[in-house]
């Protein structure tokens, strides 16, 4: 089997991002985005997806974390798409329901090459919470959206329950991790590309 690794870099007037991933890793992570809570979420994403990730970001966080979060998601999405290659032999679909104390999140992914995002269930006001002093709750959906559109993943995220803003975000990231882990895994029974079209 080919190595499923990829690197992607992006430089704008707002941020400089470097991402490297290995889909067949052990969940090792070296993360530094300048946004501590975001680093925490990306570490969880790597750990529970078993995707090794090295992510370095320098952005205008003195203005807002928006650009850094968005551009990191863009780079991570492009890297995932590149690492997947032709997608021969993968499971393609993945789903997970993950709790974190009172919070419960469900994520379903289809590595179909057709990007789509459905994100629902967060309580009203979650988008305005400032978590860890830097990360605004609205950045959760924005990360998922940017990641989905640039990876070619159809992504459904639903918060089923939750009260604590930190737990609400972390449950969603961990559910994404476990769903991705299932979707990108090889299945020995899959012959070629898992699509009736013959391409993903």
């Amino acid at each position: 089997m080919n190595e499923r690794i990829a690197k992607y870099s992006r430089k704008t007037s707002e941020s400089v991002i470097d991402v490297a991933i290995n889909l067949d890793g052990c969940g090792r992570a070296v993360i530094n985005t300048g946004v501590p809570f975001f680093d925490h979420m990306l570490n969880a994403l790597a750990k529970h997806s078993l995707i090794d990730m090295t992510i370095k970001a320098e952005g205008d966080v003195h203005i807002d974390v928006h650009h850094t979060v968005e551009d990191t998601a863009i780079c991570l999405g492009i890297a995932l798409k590149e690492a997947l290659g032709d997608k021969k032999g993968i499971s393609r679909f993945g789903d997970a329901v993950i709790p974190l104390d009172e919070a419960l999140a469900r994520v379903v992914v289809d590595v179909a090459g057709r990007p789509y995002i459905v994100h629902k269930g967060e309580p009203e006001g979650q988008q305005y919470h400032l978590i860890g002093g830097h990360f605004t709750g609205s950045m959760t959906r924005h990360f998922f959206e940017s990641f989905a559109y640039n990876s070619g993943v159809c992504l459904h995220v639903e918060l089923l329950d939750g009260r604590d803003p930190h737990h609400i975000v972390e449950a969603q990231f961990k559910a994404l991790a476990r769903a991705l882990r299932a979707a990108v895994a090889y299945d020995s029974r899959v012959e070629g590309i898992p699509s009736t079209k013959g391409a993903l």
Side-chain angles (χ1 to χ4, degrees), residues 51-67:
I51 299 173
D52 291 347
M53 298 183 187
T54 300
I55 300 174
K56 182 180 180 183
E58 296 179 7
D60 53 359
V61 295
H62 60 288
I63 297 174
D64 190 5
V65 305
H66 181 107
H67 300 140

Side-chain angles (χ1 to χ4, degrees), residues 171-186:
Q172 292 176 80
F173 268 82
K174 287 180 175 177
L176 172 61
R178 290 304 295 252
L180 279 176
R181 176 176 167 178
V184 306
Y186 283 118

Side-chain angles (χ1 to χ4, degrees), residues 16-60:
V16 178
I17 316 289
D18 294 293
V19 169
I21 64 171
N22 177 0
L23 297 187
D24 302 302
C26 302
R28 298 186 185 96
V30 179
I31 312 287
N32 185 358
T33 67
V35 184
F37 182 74
F38 188 40
D39 288 355
H40 180 43
M41 294 302 98
L42 292 172
N43 271 286
L45 183 62
K47 183 72 172 180
H48 297 288
S49 68
L50 298 182
I51 299 173
D52 291 347
M53 298 183 187
T54 300
I55 300 174
K56 182 180 180 183
E58 296 179 7
D60 53 359

Side-chain angles (χ1 to χ4, degrees), residues 19-125:
V19 169
I21 64 171
N22 177 0
L23 297 187
D24 302 302
C26 302
R28 298 186 185 96
V30 179
I31 312 287
N32 185 358
T33 67
V35 184
F37 182 74
F38 188 40
D39 288 355
H40 180 43
M41 294 302 98
L42 292 172
N43 271 286
L45 183 62
K47 183 72 172 180
H48 297 288
S49 68
L50 298 182
I51 299 173
D52 291 347
M53 298 183 187
T54 300
I55 300 174
K56 182 180 180 183
E58 296 179 7
D60 53 359
V61 295
H62 60 288
I63 297 174
D64 190 5
V65 305
H66 181 107
H67 300 140
T68 297
V69 172
E70 178 180 32
D71 292 352
T72 299
I74 289 171
C75 292
L76 188 58
I78 292 171
L80 177 70
K81 186 175 183 179
E82 182 179 324
L84 280 167
D86 60 15
K87 304 174 187 174
K88 286 182 179 178
I90 67 167
S91 294
R92 176 178 167 178
F93 301 100
D95 63 272
V97 179
I98 299 295
L100 179 57
D101 295 346
E102 88 297 342
L104 184 65
R106 175 170 54 209
V107 171
V108 183
V109 301
D110 177 7
V111 186
R114 297 191 308 278
Y116 203 87
I117 176 73
V118 175
H119 182 245
K120 59 184 180 179
E122 289 186 345
E124 182 58 36

